[in-house]
Amino acid sequence: MKKSVALGLSTLALIALSASPLYAIVAGGQTYFLVVPRLVGATTTNVSASYRIARYSFTVSVPSDSGEPLGALSVGIPAGIYTPYPGEVSVVDATGARLATQTTAQSDGSLLITFQQPVAPGSTVTVQFEPIRNPKGGGTYLFEVRALPAGTNPFSYFLGFGRLEFFVGGAGSSG
């Protein structure tokens, strides 16, 4: 009887602990999100192949229950797309205010955009590449978007592909 009472109390204690709010998950020395951010969309200001001055935008929403602020975003640049220089990369919040970031080109062809002030849960940010030249050929281009929580040794989460389509002779915007 004492074992079952002790086991019951242990179970209640675990339930009570799991119901308390968690602000970060650190396991094996890595920081994780409780709820993963979401890639909301990808747009370009012009879908014409070879267009010289376009803007590509990738919008990410950080859930209010993410448990950890957003520390960085990684955007993989597909073959055939001009890789922007750090000065051609900016990030804005939902109000359009520019956020302070540091952009670093990675050896795998992606850009790592690190926030000087981590993005709070419940926020939305948009990464912009501008000016950028559209690819010479038409087609669908997939930009791999990843999110990293702020904190020690962050785990990189694949959010999805930002999909942009370009057309030979096309004009206009994708969104």
Side-chain angles (χ1 to χ4, degrees), residues 30-98:
Q30 281 195 299
T31 305
Y32 297 87
F33 288 114
L34 290 174
V35 178
V36 179
R38 186 171 67 91
L39 176 62
V40 176
T43 61
T44 180
T45 55
N46 194 291
V47 295
S48 297
S50 296
Y51 191 76
R52 294 181 187 269
I53 305 174
R55 177 190 310 132
Y56 300 172
S57 299
F58 306 92
T59 302
V60 173
S61 174
V62 184
S64 57
D65 56 353
S66 66
E68 191 67 34
L70 178 65
L73 288 170
S74 172
V75 180
I77 310 298
I81 297 287
Y82 162 80
T83 300
Y85 291 106
E88 298 169 327
V89 178
S90 63
V91 180
V92 296
D93 65 14
T95 69
R98 194 171 182 154

Side-chain angles (χ1 to χ4, degrees), residues 56 75-89 103-113 128-135 143:
Y56 300 172
V75 180
I77 310 298
I81 297 287
Y82 162 80
T83 300
Y85 291 106
E88 298 169 327
V89 178
T103 300
T104 310
Q106 304 295 294
S107 60
D108 64 359
S110 66
L111 293 174
L112 181 65
I113 301 122
Q128 300 175 330
F129 299 162
E130 180 183 31
I132 193 164
R133 183 183 182 142
N134 289 346
F143 295 76

Side-chain angles (χ1 to χ4, degrees), residues 47-51 79-81 134-141 164-170:
V47 295
S48 297
S50 296
Y51 191 76
I81 297 287
N134 289 346
K136 292 182 180 181
T140 301
Y141 293 81
L164 298 179
E165 290 187 76
F166 300 97
F167 303 94
V168 175

